Amino acid sequence: MSERPGLVPDGWSSTEWTRRRVFGLGGALGLATAGSLALSGAMAHRPAGTGNQLRSAVPLPKPYTVPLPIPPVLEPAGTSKGSDRYEITQRRVSAEILPGVRTELWTYDGTFPGPTIESRRGRPVTVAHRNELPVPTVVHLHGGRTPAASDGYPTDLVLPQSWPDPAAHHHAGTHAMPDPRAVISRTTREYTFPMDQRAAMLWYHDHRMDFTAPAIWRGLAGMHIIRDDTEDALDLPRGERELPLMIADRSFASDGSLAYPSLDPALRERPGVRAPYAAGVLGDVILVNGAPWPVHEVVTSRYRLRLLNASNARHYELQAVTDDGRRLDLVQIGADQGLLAAPVTHTTLPIAPAERYDVVVDFAGLPAGSRVRLINRLGTGRTREVMAFRIARRVREATRIPALLADDLPAWRRSEETPVRDFAFRAGHTRHGRGWVIGGRAFDPSRTDVRTRLGAVEVWRFVADVHHPIHLHLAGFRVLARGGRAPLPHDAGLKDTISLRPGESAEIITRFDGYRGRYLFHCHNAEHEDMGMMANIEIA
């Protein structure tokens, strides 16, 4: 059956929407003027990205001169009754991102990226976050199967000690839209994650209402790796040959600070960015684990690269290339939500904001002293470069990539009884003016957009005007189709974020299991998210 939850474009039946969902929007969104957004055919040819790039005003280093940092693994503050407790302080620091230049960052525990948390499947984790920043924060574990109380809903704020009491003093920076269900904490909040899910690399980041984009840009992001016995039994690269890689773009002002076009640089009162950047903010410096265009020494062996695109709006199309032009295979073994059933080999791999890909690269056969560059085929100039690997020495190979990786992926099937919902992601009106909407409506925390029941299997159909990486909280999903055709090779496995290109449609299938409560789905172009492109799901 087909169900319309009110997010089909006004005046269209569900059947008509299905028939016209790709090009009936009249083209993708373009920036008609510096002060307004308008629908246009200008982007219908699928450009390399959606957004506008900030130019740094400070001298930038040459690529491949800075060593790749590996974020520290956080030690538990305590363990009891089969669970682990961690403590993280959110605070400002001055750090050297560009060589010889000091930059103020907002961080988890003083580092960017924040410390990596490693946990075991089925072993619960509690993370106590203390907010010593000048503004409220919210923490979301992206990809986590998390009870609603700990999922990081945008209005469940953790206020700094000096912040006004929202009950006694209305403050636009606290929340300009009433939300009677918001749970406000002062200084510290504990988030509980059951870890009842497949081994995977997740990430945690700020999710504050209206100000997610600038908070992530300033440094509030870190990685969380779940491990389990099934994955441990495979002969995959591990230890020093398993590299978590957080890729993010940034730009720098003349004083070394992070440049970002906020309407309110204090992030207190007025959300949003200046009009030329309303489609997304792109930086001109590519950081990997917080270092600009780093280089890492490797040996002639297989390496497991756990890739995360933590950029606000930049898309990448990654390729591993030797200096003499040889392309190395990127053998995908995992997606957002863990291992694939079987490996998928790519020569190029697109990755949108918030997506994760688990790939193996084999450096065997390369001479010592040679170099492999990880490039971005969607970039130009410096933004075409990402990082490099330098071959240090030859070794004997001790790993392999199994033909069968996992046999526990869900086998959901479409049936006549499967609810089908349609959602259009496009430009529209918000309470702040022009912005980004789902089905013609901007986000309202007090409105329920989708109601479903625990255990329900549903098919969702999306259509986009420009690039929109769409993220579903709580539930992983499988991609059924793109534009009425088969999924693309990189759509394999269980995902929680799908990247739609301009004018593209897609169908996904999911099961809403785990927990009841209020959850979100939204565009993970962080500027779009802050400008209204979120919606509520109520699971009963």
Side-chain angles (χ1 to χ4, degrees), residues 52-58 60 251-254 259 277 282-284:
N52 204 0
Q53 183 168 290
L54 282 166
R55 183 185 297 272
S56 290
V58 65
L60 301 177
S251 293
F252 295 82
S254 58
Y277 301 94
L282 309 177
D284 63 352

Side-chain angles (χ1 to χ4, degrees), residues 31 45 71 125 134 213 224 266 273 333 354 445 466 482 500 505:
L31 292 177
H45 296 293
V125 165
H224 187 134
V273 292
I333 60 171
V466 295
R482 283 185 183 264
L500 296 190
S505 67

Side-chain angles (χ1 to χ4, degrees), residues 101-115:
V101 176
R102 304 300 296 183
T103 299
E104 183 180 284
L105 300 169
W106 291 6
T107 70
Y108 294 118
D109 254 15
T111 66
F112 172 65

